[in-house]
Amino acid sequence: MGVPTALCAFAAGWRPGRTWSTAVGLIGVVAGAVVAVAVVPSWITWADRFVAAVAGAVVLPWFVGRFCRHRAGWERAARLEREQRLIAEQARLRRARIAQDMHDVLGHELSLTALSAGALKLAPGLTDGHREAAGDIRAGAAGAVDRLGEVIGVLRQEPDGAPPEPGDAGNAG
């Protein structure tokens, strides 16, 4: 009888939400045994065996079941935390890749535009109005490069506001 009782107690400890009803049931059994010993004093010799049986076949397996259930929960929580960190790291890498692509493509195009406007400004035979317009184009492209650097800096920034780690996908300018 001890092994099936121990297995049932372990299963009761493993199942969620059974703490209160199990404790009330165990208290009821012990209270009944105390009343039985009080009514029939000759049963006192069996009381020590009863206590050992209850402790060994019910209480200990129930606590082991509870511990195993909680441990499984802790392991699941740790696994979910690892998965969350992995997802956050993938998102950070994705943002860094986008920032690097923006830096490479748009930064290059804007720099070429500024360079072409600067060369146009120095071209012979242009009127002063055209030179001024080429200078405005060059200044606008240079300003766009600066704003692009700011946007890339925001993209590279960690979600909690921490600065990017060294070596993250190149520099912003």
Side-chain angles (χ1 to χ4, degrees):
M1 289 299 288
V3 173
T5 304
L7 290 175
C8 289
F10 178 82
W14 178 263
R15 294 180 66 187
R18 298 285 184 184
T19 304
W20 182 248
S21 63
T22 303
V24 168
L26 185 59
I27 289 170
V29 168
V30 171
V34 169
V35 169
V37 168
V39 171
V40 183
S42 65
W43 288 358
I44 195 76
T45 57
W46 294 96
D48 62 342
R49 291 184 185 160
F50 177 75
V51 168
V54 167
V58 177
V59 176
L60 184 61
W62 184 82
F63 276 118
V64 169
R66 270 293 180 224
F67 174 77
C68 290
R69 175 159 183 78
H70 285 235
R71 183 173 177 169
W74 296 328
E75 290 171 355
R76 181 171 185 253
R79 187 184 77 243
L80 291 173
E81 189 175 314
R82 284 190 305 271
E83 289 174 2
Q84 191 67 23
R85 279 195 305 265
L86 180 63
I87 290 169
E89 178 65 15
Q90 288 173 343
R92 187 190 69 76
L93 290 174
R94 204 170 17 256
R95 283 191 317 274
R97 188 174 58 244
I98 290 169
Q100 184 65 42
D101 290 348
M102 286 177 66
H103 175 267
D104 291 348
V105 175
L106 293 175
H108 179 72
E109 292 294 325
L110 289 171
S111 295
L112 285 178
T113 301
L115 186 63
S116 297
L120 179 62
K121 182 179 176 182
L122 298 175
L126 283 182
T127 65
D128 288 339
H130 288 119
R131 288 187 197 285
E132 188 176 322
D136 290 343
I137 292 171
R138 184 175 183 278
V145 168
D146 291 340
R147 285 191 299 281
L148 176 64
E150 293 170 7
V151 169
I152 289 172
V154 169
L155 272 175
R156 287 185 178 153
Q157 202 169 37
E158 294 297 317
D160 61 359
E165 296 178 11
D168 271 357
N171 57 25

